[in-house]
Amino acid sequence: MTDDPPDWEFSERDMYILRELSADPQRSSRDLADLLESEYGIDVSHVTVSESIRGMRDAGVFRETIVPNEELFNFALFEFKFNPEHFADSWHDAMVSIRDDRHTLFYFLSDGEYQWKSVMMFPSRTAESRWIHDFYKDHGDVIQNVRNSVVHNVLKFKTDPELFTELDGERS
């Protein structure tokens, strides 16, 4: 991941492609080309559609990842509060440990008292507890507290296709 925004000039076609892929990520470039023509009046070849998708992916416009069904793993939200006394010496190793851990699905920085947050997946609550114990053993000097919440009854897990209509002129 990079801190730089994607270097991509969105065409109207690109926004429609993103909308349609969001609605059905398995849609082929041939199907997308047909859909672009029938629904939006845009006549392009499936090769052009494929090149556009590849270009957007390479530019970092979207990411692809495999997310297991929530019935296979226990999902949890972890929030990490710092111990400022040891932060300068130990923060980087702790951050890399969370970011690169095989259990981490999503890791981000935020404001407030708990500034690092992650969504993590574990095969059992026992494995989750063991991870917390091991994390404190390895990085307890920089972390004052780990707050974790069970994520259950996931009611929505998708990007609404209509969100991509906001790319036109809404970016700052």
Side-chain angles (χ1 to χ4, degrees):
M1 289 188 4
T2 176
D3 292 337
D4 299 326
D7 183 20
W8 190 262
E9 287 293 322
F10 286 95
S11 68
E12 184 179 30
R13 178 189 70 215
D14 294 336
M15 287 186 275
Y16 290 139
I17 289 171
L18 287 171
R19 285 176 62 187
E20 297 304 329
L21 281 176
S22 178
D24 182 1
Q26 301 302 315
R27 189 168 273 149
S28 73
S29 57
R30 285 187 191 280
D31 289 343
L32 283 167
D34 292 343
L35 188 73
L36 286 171
E37 184 172 14
S38 65
E39 295 291 320
Y40 306 107
I42 299 172
D43 184 18
V44 294
S45 72
H46 72 280
V47 173
T48 301
V49 170
S50 183
E51 288 172 350
S52 182
I53 293 169
R54 188 177 316 108
M56 287 189 284
R57 182 186 303 118
D58 292 347
V61 170
F62 65 92
R63 297 179 180 98
E64 294 177 295
T65 189
I66 294 174
V67 180
N69 184 297
E70 63 272 10
E71 297 300 322
L72 298 175
F73 287 92
N74 295 318
F75 285 70
L77 172 66
F78 279 65
E79 300 173 289
F80 301 86
K81 182 179 180 179
F82 302 133
N83 177 351
E85 183 180 345
H86 301 285
F87 184 79
D89 297 330
S90 305
W91 73 270
H92 187 263
D93 289 345
M95 180 194 70
V96 169
S97 176
I98 299 164
R99 185 195 67 202
D100 294 350
D101 191 279
R102 70 179 187 268
H103 300 100
T104 301
L105 171 68
F106 192 69
Y107 178 56
F108 56 99
L109 309 179
S110 67
D111 60 0
E113 196 173 0
Y114 288 79
Q115 294 183 358
W116 292 351
K117 298 183 182 182
S118 64
V119 175
M120 302 181 87
M121 305 177 299
F122 297 92
S124 67
R125 294 292 171 221
T126 301
E128 181 179 341
S129 292
R130 189 176 322 111
W131 186 93
I132 294 169
H133 175 81
D134 290 342
F135 184 79
Y136 271 123
K137 278 183 15 184
D138 295 339
H139 304 287
D141 60 334
V142 72
I143 301 298
Q144 184 172 330
N145 189 36
V146 174
R147 183 168 58 186
N148 63 313
S149 304
V150 174
V151 176
H152 56 85
N153 296 334
V154 176
L155 302 175
K156 180 180 178 179
F157 197 89
K158 66 176 253 171
T159 301
D160 280 318
E162 293 301 315
L163 181 66
F164 292 106
T165 61
E166 296 177 21
L167 287 175
D168 189 22
E170 288 292 325
R171 297 187 356 215
S172 55

